[in-house]
Amino acid sequence: MAGGSKRYSRNNSNGNFQPLPERGPVESLIYWRDVKKSGIVFGAGLITLLAISSFSVISVFAYLSLFALIGTVVFRIYKSVTQAVQKTNDGHPFKEYLELDLTLSQEKVQNIAGVAVAHINGFTAELRRLFLVEDLIDSIKFGGLLWVFTYIGAWFNGMTLVILAFVSLFTLPKVYENNKQSIDTYLDLVRSKLTEITDKIRVAIPLGKKPVAAAAESDKDK
């Protein structure tokens, strides 16, 4: 689908199609709204990650920067020669990019820092809750997840996981979008089964979070 095309959803009340809100640049890339742009980013990113997995980060950064510099220098010389031969005055070939404002405003930095701090605080609080067994069932599930990670760590190294995550970022969202109804059906089935099993375990092992009603009665008795 072309990058400029709009997405539409059916309005259940009158059956008409209404335009959906436009996605951000990152979402547009991973959902392949513009195949050319997404292909360039995906290909460049994958090649970079594969290179880092085989060579040092410094070497990869140096070689990529060197190739980019050679490309811009050659293009700059080519455009200068072309302008001299054709007697034109088109100016600097990268003038548009040289005039781009790349500075970060203080407000934007503060917003990013605020979001990062909120996520870090939430992550820290969740880890404390799990490791200190505020809820036994949640801590057991967390332990099971860590046990699975021990096998994943034995099968793959960190860089391989990063590459798999990058490939998944550019494939799974589009697969889900194209098969949303059937995937949601299976996810709801799995979720209901897990909830059922968890409820049975909570009944068998009454050490998790206190039910709200029981907690209220306990407070009244005090």
Side-chain angles (χ1 to χ4, degrees):
M1 185 179 294
S5 61
K6 291 186 178 180
R7 299 176 301 120
Y8 293 86
S9 65
R10 184 182 294 276
N11 188 322
N12 293 331
S13 60
N14 54 23
N16 296 328
F17 285 93
Q18 302 294 334
L20 291 173
E22 292 297 326
R23 297 183 184 272
V26 176
E27 289 180 288
S28 297
L29 285 174
I30 63 177
Y31 281 96
W32 297 80
R33 301 303 177 209
D34 188 323
V35 177
K36 183 178 179 180
K37 287 183 179 179
S38 296
I40 292 173
V41 173
F42 176 71
L46 185 59
I47 291 173
T48 302
L49 291 175
L50 290 174
I52 292 175
S53 66
S54 301
F55 307 98
S56 69
V57 177
I58 296 176
S59 296
V60 173
F61 174 76
Y63 275 112
L64 289 178
S65 300
L66 182 60
F67 289 145
L69 180 60
I70 292 174
T72 54
V73 169
V74 170
F75 185 73
R76 176 77 168 87
I77 295 174
Y78 167 76
K79 293 296 290 185
S80 298
V81 172
T82 303
Q83 291 177 27
V85 172
Q86 297 178 351
K87 294 183 169 50
T88 59
N89 188 19
D90 296 334
H92 199 290
F94 300 117
K95 182 179 179 181
E96 178 184 355
Y97 301 102
L98 288 171
E99 294 176 350
L100 284 177
D101 184 12
L102 300 179
T103 57
L104 287 175
S105 64
Q106 185 176 2
E107 180 182 356
K108 188 171 184 179
V109 172
Q110 289 177 345
N111 290 337
I112 294 174
V115 172
V117 169
H119 281 85
I120 291 173
N121 289 339
F123 180 71
T124 304
E126 184 66 15
L127 286 181
R128 180 184 62 183
R129 189 182 73 83
L130 292 170
F131 277 107
L132 298 183
V133 198
E134 179 181 338
D135 184 280
L136 179 62
I137 304 302
D138 288 345
S139 294
I140 290 175
K141 290 190 291 186
F142 180 59
L145 182 63
L146 293 177
W147 179 72
V148 171
F149 280 160
T150 61
Y151 283 93
I152 295 176
W155 294 334
F156 308 103
N157 59 31
M159 200 61 225
T160 303
L161 292 177
V162 171
I163 294 173
L164 290 175
F166 181 78
V167 173
S168 299
L169 181 65
F170 277 84
T171 54
L172 294 184
K174 189 64 178 178
V175 171
Y176 174 74
E177 184 182 52
N178 292 337
N179 304 275
K180 187 176 185 301
Q181 185 173 1
S182 58
I183 292 176
D184 283 345
T185 301
Y186 286 111
L187 287 178
D188 289 339
L189 180 62
V190 172
R191 192 179 296 113
S192 62
K193 290 295 183 181
L194 289 176
T195 302
E196 181 181 349
I197 293 173
T198 302
D199 291 340
K200 289 180 179 180
I201 294 175
R202 288 186 186 279
V203 172
I205 309 176
L207 293 175
K209 292 180 180 178
K210 293 182 179 180
V212 177
E217 291 180 3
S218 177
D219 292 339
K220 287 181 180 180
D221 292 339
K222 291 181 180 179

